[in-house]
Amino acid sequence: MQYLLGIFIPNKPSKPDTLTVDRNAVGESVNIVYSNSTVRKNSIRILSFNCKNVLSCGPFFEEAYNHMDICLLQEHWLFNCQIDNLNELHEHLNGIGKSVDDRDPITPVQMPRGYGGVGILWRKEMDSLITTLDIGNERIQCVEVRGDKKKLLLVSVYLPCRGSNNNISELQECVDILYEIVQSFSGTHCILVGGDFNENIFIKSGLTRNQYILDFMEECKFSAKEIGKTFIHSNGVDNHYPIQAEINFEFSIGSNELKSSKRGKIYCKVNWDKLDKDKYQESIESKCWIAPVESLQL
């Protein structure tokens, strides 16, 4: 089952942060303040989605783009050599991810059907606020979001299911890594962990897997909200609903006129020693409109 867990008051701010969770992921109300060339937002919308093959979700992201700032992905099904496809899902989204074969990459020749994997997507205008973090294992992806007053650590996680013989030890290893991450960042960051836990954390079953997660949540003082089932089972196949959290988190981005992404651009340095300067000047004057200095608005 999918969950969003939050620790939101590491530095005891005067106004407590809030978490609103929506299983249908269609929330639209975000307070926005425009100031000169800056857009300031008072809350951030975070989506979590076990997508089961992200390459088949193009129509979903076209619709979800207007309702999210960041998306935590599970089961993107991309292998290591395909992970750059996360940056091709939507023209206004960038992403980072981990694959099941990160430790021993599969060659692009005769790849099997994909499985597993975690990732995080964000709107391109947030590039300057996002720092990707090389922590956790292949089931845990983290990024840091720089806000106006504090920082937010986002963790996308896909915990092992019960199918394998080693599923208990594998789950405990992942939870231990999560614990170390929380201990490292809880004094300086708000923290939100989202993903597919493959356990029901709202029921105490007494089983080892379930209890290990609940003990982790209690020790780290995580909060979560019950919203009902986040998946459906039909014709032998499980499909998941995307879920959304909106939390009070102030951050600023450039206005629409100043939006640009530095990703994918190549900047070339001119070798002036080998350049025909007269021909270069002639080319510039014939192909470019040069604005008078007095007309520029700085």
Side-chain angles (χ1 to χ4, degrees):
M1 295 184 69
Q2 293 186 100
Y3 299 101
L4 289 164
L5 311 179
I7 302 177
F8 299 124
I9 319 177
N11 298 318
K12 296 183 180 179
S14 57
K15 183 178 180 180
D17 294 335
T18 59
L19 167 66
T20 302
V21 182
D22 178 13
R23 186 181 69 179
N24 297 315
V26 294
E28 299 183 26
S29 58
V30 177
N31 294 323
I32 302 175
V33 178
Y34 293 87
S35 176
N36 296 328
S37 62
T38 300
V39 179
R40 292 189 175 89
K41 297 188 178 183
N42 295 325
S43 63
I44 188 168
R45 302 163 299 176
I46 300 167
L47 202 67
S48 181
F49 185 31
N50 182 324
C51 57
K52 286 196 170 183
N53 189 3
V54 72
L55 296 183
S56 67
C57 296
F60 168 79
F61 287 110
E62 286 293 335
E63 181 178 350
Y65 174 77
N66 292 322
H67 309 300
M68 72 177 213
D69 297 303
I70 294 176
C71 180
L72 313 180
L73 290 176
Q74 305 84 47
E75 289 202 83
H76 54 57
W77 290 13
L78 300 175
F79 291 114
N80 179 275
C81 62
Q82 301 171 303
I83 203 68
D84 287 343
N85 285 325
L86 291 177
N87 291 314
E88 306 297 329
L89 297 174
H90 191 284
E91 62 177 332
H92 298 305
L93 292 175
N94 279 327
I96 189 75
K98 295 182 180 179
S99 303
V100 294
D101 64 328
D102 279 353
R103 299 181 185 181
D104 185 18
I106 296 173
T107 62
V109 181
Q110 295 182 335
M111 289 186 299
R113 193 195 78 165
Y115 63 98
V118 290
I120 299 179
L121 306 175
W122 60 87
R123 299 168 72 96
K124 284 186 177 180
E125 63 260 32
M126 297 181 68
D127 273 356
S128 63
L129 307 180
I130 300 291
T131 301
T132 60
L133 303 174
D134 187 18
I135 56 178
N137 61 9
E138 70 275 7
R139 290 181 174 272
I140 299 170
Q141 177 66 62
C142 303
V143 301
E144 176 191 82
V145 186
R146 178 174 53 82
D148 293 344
K149 298 179 180 179
K150 50 196 170 184
K151 296 178 180 180
L152 174 64
L153 177 71
L154 295 178
V155 183
S156 179
V157 60
Y158 178 54
L159 293 183
C161 61
R162 301 179 184 179
S164 70
N165 294 329
N166 300 321
N167 73 87
I168 294 178
S169 61
E170 290 174 352
L171 181 140
Q172 290 174 333
E173 178 186 357
C174 287
V175 173
D176 289 345
I177 293 173
L178 287 174
Y179 178 81
E180 293 176 2
I181 291 173
V182 171
Q183 295 306 306
S184 298
F185 287 88
S186 60
T188 56
H189 292 63
C190 303
I191 301 175
L192 188 140
V193 178
D196 192 339
F197 285 23
N198 279 306
E199 285 290 333
N200 189 338
I201 63 174
F202 293 107
I203 296 178
K204 291 186 177 182
S205 67
L207 298 177
T208 302
R209 289 168 50 100
N210 177 265
Q211 192 60 50
Y212 208 79
I213 295 174
L214 294 179
D215 289 345
F216 158 71
M217 291 176 57
E218 181 178 1
E219 185 168 353
C220 294
K221 296 181 173 56
F222 271 112
S223 61
K225 181 179 179 180
E226 173 71 79
I227 59 171
K229 285 188 175 182
T230 61
F231 69 95
I232 56 176
H233 187 78
S234 176
N235 298 323
V237 178
D238 288 336
N239 289 302
H240 297 262
Y241 295 112
I243 59 176
Q244 183 186 63
E246 182 172 342
I247 63 175
N248 291 340
F249 182 77
E250 297 180 9
F251 64 101
S252 301
I253 58 177
S255 66
N256 291 334
E257 291 77 19
L258 297 178
K259 285 180 185 176
S260 63
S261 173
K262 295 181 181 179
R263 291 172 176 258
K265 292 184 178 180
I266 301 176
Y267 297 92
C268 300
K269 184 178 180 180
V270 176
N271 188 339
W272 295 103
D273 294 333
K274 297 182 178 181
L275 183 69
D276 186 330
K277 296 182 179 60
D278 292 334
K279 186 173 293 186
Y280 179 80
Q281 179 67 26
E282 179 182 351
S283 175
I284 290 295
E285 292 177 349
S286 64
K287 296 180 181 180
C288 298
W289 175 76
I290 302 176
V293 174
E294 61 269 19
S295 69
L296 297 179
Q297 299 297 321
L298 303 178

